[in-house]
């Protein structure tokens, strides 16, 4: 086998702003686990002995032959790129050929490796220049085991500068979780002082992995999509969002962005995500969202900081638009969304069996062609407050007031129209702040005598209302235009306790299911409760066989 690890040409070394890669225990774990992933591993075992400043990462990846092992820890040696042109084609996590070399200068480094398909394995200890100090045969399975011992032994102040052990361990856990979100098909097992600490099991998609990391979130609380980007080869957008009526957080700690296999910090893209959730969550709450973009490597420059957590991305506005669109789509209620949630394996199996027997004529095209989007049918009203709505997979209870509020709010956002009133509305006693607030949202208002003001135009939606003066006072109390829109929508929406006819309910449902954010009202309250047919079947134990003996 020919050696594939080579020293990088000097001009490439200058192009890489690497600086100090290894500055903590966490950095060691990150670099070694990334090497394992680059080697195609599907099982990675991380062992930590923090008091001994020792880390070991074992993997079942492609391994290295003896030549590569001898070269692996010399300065700027890598198998992943060979020239400066390759810097624009990076598809691996590593490319600087620095981690192992730095480790030899900061710690004792031992690597055991056996290439996939190779008949023997080797153990090498490196000296502090990254050269081979000792070579031995090693009996190991194909893969690689890297042990870093006595980290920072020669720079005591580096050790002193690091946070307390438990904080470092927390950071290690965090970094492994982040890596797992980006590479969910791998099994991660983590040990601490010879005891098993935690495991992350592989999952077919990141959405299925998230409940392992966020135990309070259930699979049904998430919506996952994987979109190809039209006209951009090899590009895709993978999105998992927490449905806003089911989960949110008190900090923006789950607004996560990854690009090409690595979690990054991108204030611009994080802001795009937060904006897409605007007015769908309660006040001071933040969404759960994981976004993974796959972008052609030449669009990205990873050399913004040594830890590669920041990047320069070409065509940022294009990506922002794609993200907003994808989130908007996921937040909407569409026939496919409803179907997805009810198409449990059981239901699909039932349909399959039915189809194969040929007794039923499932005309799948007819269900798709319901272009009128009336997949919710109003069937009754409960307590003059909830609309009972039926759809192909179960039933929903929709709270009439907030559903209507959502409809009106979006109409107001789309066109905030102020219309003149014939007789001015007279308002009594306004403070200067209230006055300027009303002027700020566009009201035409002027003094009308002692402590009186006349308002000559009002938001269209309030025009027919008897309580217009009261509504204007409410608007004067605060906030920006959006707050005013929420207030007007809330005031104009049908009250709970109002009786509605079936056609009225149907119109509301039709309008509501077409809104951009049907799941929550602008204050973040959930609008509907779903009782899926699959859940009903489970509750009523319809899988029990007793019915069969009675021929039911
Ligand atoms: P980089 O990852 O930037 O290439 P490193 O210093 O981290 O630089 O690793 C140097 C080289 O050693 C890698 O390019 C790779 O060929 C090899 N290597 C490191 N770790 C592993 C591993 N776990 N399995 C297989 N090869 C590895
Ligand atoms: Mg590396």
């Amino acid at each position: 086998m020919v050696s594939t690890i080579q020293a990088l040409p000097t001009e490439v070394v200058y192009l890489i702003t690497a600086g100090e890669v290894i500055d903590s225990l966490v950095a060691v774990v990150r670099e070694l686990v990334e090497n394992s992933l680059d080697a195609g591993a599907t099982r990675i075992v991380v062992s930590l002995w923090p008091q001994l400043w020792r880390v070991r990462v074992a993997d079942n990846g492609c391994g290295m032959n003896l030549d590569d092992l001898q070269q692996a820890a010399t300065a700027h040696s890598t198998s992943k790129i060979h020239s400066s042109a390759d810097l624009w084609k990076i598809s691996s996590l590593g490319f600087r050929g620095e981690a192992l070399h730095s480790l030899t200068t900061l710690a004792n480094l031992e690597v055991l490796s056996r290439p996939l398909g190779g008949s023997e394995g080797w153990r090498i200890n490196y000296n502090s220049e990254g050269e081979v100090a000792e070579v031995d045969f090693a009996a190991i399975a194909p893969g690689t085991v890297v042990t870093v011992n006595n980290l920072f032994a020669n720079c005591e102040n580096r050790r002193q500068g690091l946070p307390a052990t438990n904080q470092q361990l927390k950071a290690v856990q965090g970094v492994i979780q982040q890596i797992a979100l980006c590479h969910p098909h791998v099994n991660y097992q983590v040990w601490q002082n010879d005891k098993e600490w935690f495991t992350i099991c592989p999952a077919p998609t990141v959405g299925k992995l998230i409940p392992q990391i966020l135990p309070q979130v259930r699979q049904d609380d998430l919506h996952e999509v994987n979109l190809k980007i039209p006209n951009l080869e090899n590009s895709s957008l993978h999105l998992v969002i927490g449905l806003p009526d089911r989960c949110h957080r008190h900090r923006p700690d789950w607004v996560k962005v990854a690009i090409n296999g690595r979690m990054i910090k991108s204030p611009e893209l994080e802001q795009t995500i937060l904006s897409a959730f605007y007015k769908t969550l309660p006040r001071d709450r933040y969404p759960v969202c994981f976004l993974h973009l796959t972008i052609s490597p030449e669009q990205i420059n990873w050399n913004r900081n040594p830890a590669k957590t920041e990047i320069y991305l070409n065509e940022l506005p294009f990506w922002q638009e794609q993200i907003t669109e994808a989130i908007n789509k996921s937040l909407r209620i569409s026939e496919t969304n409803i179907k997805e949630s009810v198409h449990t394996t059981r239901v699909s199996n039932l349909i399959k069996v039915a189809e194969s027997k040929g007794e039923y004529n499932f005309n799948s095209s007819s269900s798709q062609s319901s272009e009128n989007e009336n997949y919710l049918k109003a069937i009754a009203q409960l307590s003059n407050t909830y609309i009972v709505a039926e759809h192909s997979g179960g039933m929903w209870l929709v709270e009439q007031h907030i559903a209507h509020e959502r409809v009106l709010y979006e109409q107001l956002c789309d066109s905030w129209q102020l219309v003149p009133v014939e007789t001015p509305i007279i308002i009594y006693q306004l403070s200067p702040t209230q006055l300027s607030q009303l002027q700020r949202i566009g009201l035409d208002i002027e003094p009308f005598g002692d402590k009186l003001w006349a308002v000559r135009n009002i938001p269209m939606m309030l025009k027919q209302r008897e309580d217009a003066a009261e509504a204007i006072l409410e608007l004067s109390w605060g906030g920006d235009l959006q707050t005013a829109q929420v207030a007007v929508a809330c005031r104009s929406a049908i009250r709970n306790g109002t009786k509605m006819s079936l056609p009225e309910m149907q119109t509301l449902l039709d309008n509501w299911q077409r809104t951009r954010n049907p799941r929550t009202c602008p204050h973040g309250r959930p609008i509907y409760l779903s009782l899926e047919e699959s859940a009903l079947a489970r509750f009523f134990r319809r899988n029990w066989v007793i019915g069969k003996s009675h021929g039911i």
Side-chain angles (χ1 to χ4, degrees), residues 56 66 71 73 84 131 194 284 302 448 478 480 496 547:
R56 174 175 298 153
L66 184 57
Q71 180 77 20
S84 58
E131 294 153 355
D194 301 306
D284 298 329
W302 286 104
F448 195 70
D480 48 12
N496 285 337

Side-chain angles (χ1 to χ4, degrees), residues 18 27 29 47 66 68 82 95 102 112 116 162 206 227 256 278 300 322 335 411 456 468-469 489 504 506:
V29 172
S47 312
L66 184 57
D68 277 351
H82 297 298
F95 58 84
S102 309
L112 279 70
L116 216 61
L162 289 171
V206 56
L227 303 170
K256 292 181 186 287
Y278 186 72
I300 306 167
Q322 300 292 318
E335 195 175 15
Q411 284 173 5
R456 299 189 187 278
E504 282 169 342
Q506 188 60 52

Side-chain angles (χ1 to χ4, degrees), residues 129-140:
E129 268 85 58
E131 294 153 355
V132 177
E134 267 178 59
V135 193
D136 264 330
F137 278 114
I140 67 162

Side-chain angles (χ1 to χ4, degrees), residues 31-32 34-35 38 80 93-100 308:
E31 291 294 327
L32 297 183
E34 289 192 348
N35 278 349
D38 279 345
K80 298 167 193 173
L93 296 167
F95 58 84
R96 295 179 183 140
E98 272 213 323
L100 294 187
K308 304 173 192 150

